[in-house]
Amino acid sequence: MVRVLIALRRTIVRNQLARTNPAMLLIGAGLVLLSALGTIWLGLVSYPSQAAATDVLALVFLLWAGGRVAQSALAGDAVLRPELFSLLPLDRRRLARSLLVVGLLDPAGVFMAIAFAALVARAARLGAAATAVAVLAVILSLALASVLSTIAGAALGPGSRRGHDVGTIVTAVALSVVAVAATLLPALDTALRRGTVPWLADALTWLPTGWGPVAVQAAARGDWLAVFGSLAGLAVLTVAAADWWPAVLSRRMDAAARPAHAGGGRPGWWSALPRTPAGAVTAKEIRMWVRDPIRLTCLLIAVIVGAAVCAIPRLTGGTYLLLPYGGILTAVIAGACACNLYGSDGTSLWLTVMTPDSSRADVHGRQAAWLIVVAPYTVAITVAFTALSGEHAAWPWALAVLPAVLGGAAGLAPFSSLISVQPLDETGGPTPAYSLKVHIALVVVALTALVPVAVLVAAHVWHEPWLSWAGVPVGLATGAGLTAYLGRRAVSGLENRQVRILRVLADAER
Amino acid sequence: MTAARPTPGPGLGPVAGEQGAPALRIAGLAKSFGDTAAVSDVELTVSSGSFLGLVGPNGAGKTTLLSMAIGLLRPDRGTAFVLGHDVWSKAGSATAKQLIGALPDGLALPHRLTGTELLTYIGLLRAMPEEVVRDRAAELLDVLDLAHAGRTLIADYSTGMRKKIGLASALLHGPRVLVLDEPFEAVDPVSAAVVRAILDGFIAAGGTVVMSTHVMTLVEQVCDHVAVMAHGQILRTGTLSAVRGGQTLEAAFAELVGAAPARGLSWFAS
């Protein structure tokens, strides 16, 4: 059966790849490969102590394994979905075993294996015994990560609508934590090398992803009991997870999609919106931001990453420097989340195409909805964090840049959504090209703050405090101008290109 | 084709078509995908008040033709007129789309809205008064037996329910010409009777229906005109009796498209 499944997987992947932009695919694969090779480098450099090396390697093992499991939970197995087999008279345990083996051969595992080789590289400095232990630890860690990602894909990935929605939102938190840790890797690396955050070092080595590096460190000092304990722990966990897998698979295959009800029967607060074409689009879009797990996930990630990246330096380094900008970073990420609205809505665009003169309402409604959803909490985070930081000089910076970014993102949302529209994949998840577009949008949204930042820098250079406060109206004007100008461009873009975009989306769904 | 009932009834929309113009005129529409000609210079005229069934085998080009006729797929050549308004001209497209009620096949509806929310969204997007939207949406959901699912997300609708909510969306603004791609697909018999009653009422009020389907018996029951399509071309069009020519529509269809006689599977005999 394994051979049949591998052949099936190969065929499906080949067909999927035929429809993927090869440049996007190469860039995506190149970035992951670069990260994997960069991780090996962490195994080759010198550390002040063996314990510091163990902590750093435990951290990167956690990031790679956590990222892999979270990615599976978010997207599920986009190729061999369990539903494919639910009507076939197959022995469930045998199917489960076979899917597990196929999961081990997943290409993502290859990148992870390259990254995990960092442990072998580190162990090579410590002698032959440590190297042998490292190889064993890498194999066991890869197996555990693979089994857990297979389970996560089936338990939380797209199956029933409700399971998918809950899974996506739960996963958002996990992914955000991994993303925050990855962003802060250099700072965390330094902190772990210096041993300034012992609680983090303890946590990393207690987690199963830290047991491999712990085993290598134990082998180097000849503590064979610790070596055996760590490796046996990994093996037992892998076997236990593999034993649990058939039950998870069975539950997924038997789960009937139960209807998911929208909120209560009472009219939502958005019934206060004007009963106009633009008001109708605004109400629809707000519902999409709240109900569509991909959009909601992105907004959650924006809050967690935006606020955490600015708050963590306070926790680890004792500096308030970034705290006032948590809201701005959140707004930038939430803006990037809105860079592919037409792609994520799919072929429902036909309703706009068939409604005369609806482009203006569609664009303005989408802009208003994004601002209604994002502006309140980004303003609240900015005000609260700036006040908390006690950095009085940061007020004009925070208050000048935030409106520019909010307005810029509201302008860019419909405008960028019309450029290089990226349809969702077969499971309704984002494709690698979609993710790449979001990353590019992050940079573009951030650039909308250039004008007020220029004013603020000038004020700083010339030591003119009044000029820095002048940055606030400049930021407001920039934001309003970008919303209006890019919105106008998007209206004419939608009028001219809607039929072509609908075709792209329809072809992708075929 | 003969004009059956040219005067629109009170339930239909306020936008008028050109006097005496056919409900739908397809003028030389053509579309190729790569080297494959999906639709080849098709001409077709549908008189006001008629119920036309567009039949053809899988891959005949029916969906492509209807998509181009209503403005969802840009043709390589040709155009379409709805009550005299050019679907693909800047001047006529808005009026044409106001006159059309469309149920396309294979295109999604916003999955995360409930049926009520979808109809409200579509009605307000068309700048209809709120009370009219509310009343019509409630009646459509009730008549189409979707009222109980008013709070269920469309993502959790069955295929038949999606067809019905799609039909409700097409009818909401009071169109004059309904273009329906496979409207009865996956619809249960009770609901199918309801849909047929709605469409009969629409025709009686002066509306026009163009419907693609594979089900010949359905066409014989509800349509007064038929167009047979294969290989991207209209092979024959006219009244139902003229196209049938004294035999069943199925037999006439098989003869027209040159279908091979149906065969059983050899291993069943062994």
Side-chain angles (χ1 to χ4, degrees):
Chain A
M1 190 191 290
V2 172
R3 243 181 302 169
V4 175
L5 290 178
I6 290 173
L8 176 65
R9 186 191 184 102
R10 197 186 308 130
T11 311
I12 296 174
V13 168
R14 199 169 46 229
N15 291 338
Q16 284 175 342
L17 289 183
R19 293 195 306 193
T20 311
N21 184 343
M24 293 283 195
L25 195 73
L26 275 177
I27 292 171
L31 286 176
V32 180
L33 184 64
L34 219 60
S35 309
L37 293 173
T39 308
I40 293 188
W41 178 78
L42 287 174
L44 296 170
V45 293
S46 302
Y47 290 88
S49 69
Q50 182 52 36
T54 301
D55 296 342
V56 170
L57 288 170
L59 174 67
V60 290
F61 267 49
L62 173 67
L63 292 181
W64 275 94
R68 169 84 185 98
V69 172
Q71 187 265 338
S72 265
L74 192 64
D77 190 328
V79 184
L80 297 179
R81 280 175 292 130
E83 287 75 21
L84 284 175
F85 312 103
S86 56
L87 292 178
L88 298 177
L90 296 172
D91 175 46
R92 293 270 169 101
R93 289 198 77 83
R94 201 168 148 227
L95 175 67
R97 269 200 310 275
S98 306
L99 285 173
L100 218 51
V101 176
V102 175
L104 283 171
L105 304 173
D106 190 280
V110 176
F111 292 115
M112 207 157 63
I114 295 172
F116 281 10
L119 186 63
V120 182
R122 173 73 200 164
R125 294 171 158 224
L126 307 172
T131 310
V133 169
V135 171
L136 210 58
V138 165
I139 292 170
L140 286 169
S141 300
L142 282 172
L144 180 60
S146 171
V147 175
L148 288 180
S149 68
T150 306
I151 290 176
L156 299 172
S160 76
R161 183 78 46 188
R162 178 175 293 177
H164 181 205
D165 290 0
V166 173
T168 305
I169 292 157
V170 167
T171 308
V173 177
L175 255 182
S176 308
V177 171
V178 170
V180 168
T183 314
L184 297 173
L185 194 57
L188 288 172
D189 181 46
T190 311
L192 288 171
R193 280 164 186 267
R194 291 180 185 160
T196 51
V197 272
W199 60 269
L200 180 63
D202 287 345
L204 286 171
T205 45
W206 277 109
L207 284 168
T209 42
W211 297 350
V214 165
V216 170
Q217 188 188 348
R221 62 169 191 267
D223 183 353
W224 294 106
L225 194 65
V227 171
F228 177 77
S230 305
L231 295 182
L234 279 172
V236 167
L237 264 186
T238 309
V239 171
D243 196 49
W244 182 40
W245 161 236
V248 175
L249 178 69
S250 218
R251 202 163 47 237
R252 163 78 181 263
M253 288 170 76
D254 294 337
R258 279 173 297 171
H261 289 288
R266 285 166 287 123
W269 60 267
W270 44 67
S271 61
L273 290 168
R275 316 304 273 171
T276 58
V281 177
T282 308
K284 186 261 292 179
E285 278 293 294
I286 292 175
R287 290 184 172 108
M288 291 297 162
W289 280 111
V290 175
R291 292 182 191 163
D292 180 345
I294 294 179
R295 292 205 200 186
L296 186 59
T297 299
C298 205
L299 290 186
L300 277 172
I301 290 173
V303 177
I304 295 169
V305 175
V309 163
C310 296
I312 284 181
R314 163 75 197 97
L315 303 174
T316 56
T319 170
Y320 284 107
L321 199 66
L322 286 179
L323 211 51
Y325 309 109
I328 293 167
L329 186 56
T330 302
V332 169
I333 301 171
C337 295
C339 74
N340 195 40
L341 297 174
Y342 295 106
S344 62
D345 283 359
T347 51
S348 65
L349 177 64
W350 76 270
L351 290 168
T352 312
V353 177
M354 286 306 294
T355 306
D357 307 320
S358 58
S359 298
R360 184 177 304 277
D362 190 84
V363 166
H364 292 164
R366 287 176 190 274
Q367 289 183 305
W370 185 87
L371 280 171
I372 289 170
V373 170
V374 175
Y377 68 77
T378 49
V379 171
I381 293 173
T382 302
V383 171
F385 277 23
T386 310
L388 198 70
S389 73
E391 300 268 339
H392 296 298
W395 278 109
W397 285 77
L399 297 181
V401 173
L402 182 65
V405 167
L406 281 175
L412 277 169
F415 183 77
S416 59
S417 293
L418 290 164
I419 300 169
S420 180
V421 176
Q422 298 299 326
L424 299 176
D425 68 14
E426 284 164 3
T427 62
T431 58
Y434 186 158
S435 306
L436 185 63
K437 189 178 177 187
V438 173
H439 284 87
I440 294 168
L442 279 173
V443 178
V444 181
V445 174
L447 289 177
T448 60
L450 270 183
V451 177
V453 166
V455 174
L456 291 160
V457 169
H460 185 73
V461 171
W462 295 331
H463 304 290
E464 294 283 3
W466 66 268
L467 189 57
S468 64
W469 281 105
V472 179
V474 169
L476 281 165
T478 308
L482 284 171
T483 305
Y485 173 71
L486 292 173
R488 236 186 351 259
R489 293 283 306 271
V491 171
S492 63
L494 182 60
E495 271 165 8
N496 296 329
R497 296 207 297 273
Q498 55 186 353
V499 174
R500 214 178 318 151
I501 291 171
L502 178 63
R503 193 58 8 215
V504 170
L505 296 167
D507 287 346
E509 282 184 15
R510 233 178 248 165
Chain B
M1 245 176 264
T2 53
R5 299 175 199 86
T7 320
L12 303 185
V15 181
E18 278 178 14
Q19 200 66 35
L24 178 67
R25 184 163 76 81
I26 290 173
L29 281 179
K31 184 78 185 176
S32 297
F33 297 109
D35 295 334
T36 311
V39 172
S40 309
D41 304 308
V42 165
E43 301 278 346
L44 180 69
T45 303
V46 184
S47 307
S48 283
S50 52
F51 197 140
L52 177 106
L54 178 63
V55 296
N58 292 330
K62 302 187 295 293
T63 295
T64 305
L65 178 66
L66 294 184
S67 300
M68 290 191 289
I70 60 176
L72 287 176
L73 175 65
R74 189 171 291 282
D76 295 340
R77 284 188 304 282
T79 189
F81 298 89
V82 176
L83 289 162
H85 300 278
D86 189 341
V87 173
W88 289 103
S89 80
K90 236 186 169 81
S93 126
T95 313
K97 286 178 178 174
Q98 193 67 27
L99 293 164
I100 300 171
L103 175 64
D105 192 35
L107 299 184
L109 292 167
H111 282 175
R112 307 272 161 186
L113 295 186
T114 66
T116 310
E117 289 166 354
L118 173 71
L119 295 181
T120 308
Y121 161 63
I122 292 172
L124 294 178
L125 187 64
R126 285 185 175 272
M128 292 168 64
E130 187 188 357
E131 309 76 48
V132 177
V133 174
R134 196 175 44 229
D135 294 348
R136 286 192 186 178
E139 190 177 348
L140 279 165
L141 290 172
D142 186 38
V143 170
L144 287 165
D145 195 26
L146 290 171
H148 67 282
R151 285 175 52 204
T152 303
L153 296 181
I154 291 169
D156 292 309
Y157 275 20
S158 66
T159 312
M161 288 166 81
R162 286 185 199 188
K163 283 285 177 190
K164 289 197 286 182
I165 197 69
L167 183 65
S169 314
L171 288 165
L172 184 73
H173 65 287
R176 301 273 301 280
V177 180
L178 276 179
V179 179
L180 313 173
D181 200 350
E182 302 281 1
F184 289 94
E185 190 185 40
V187 175
D188 66 80
V190 177
S191 300
V194 172
V195 172
R196 277 169 55 183
I198 291 173
L199 296 182
D200 285 345
F202 182 78
I203 294 281
T208 308
V209 180
V210 177
M211 168 186 88
S212 82
T213 181
H214 295 289
V215 188
M216 302 297 154
T217 47
L218 184 74
V219 174
E220 288 182 305
Q221 284 167 10
V222 301
C223 297
D224 48 31
H225 288 79
V226 186
V228 180
M229 190 172 187
H231 310 301
Q233 293 173 321
I234 299 287
L235 301 181
R236 186 174 294 174
T237 178
T239 61
L240 180 63
S241 55
V243 172
R244 273 198 303 207
Q247 49 186 342
T248 64
L249 184 60
E250 197 164 313
F253 173 80
E255 202 176 285
L256 274 169
V257 302
R263 289 185 300 153
L265 292 169
S266 61
W267 72 78
F268 285 178
S270 57

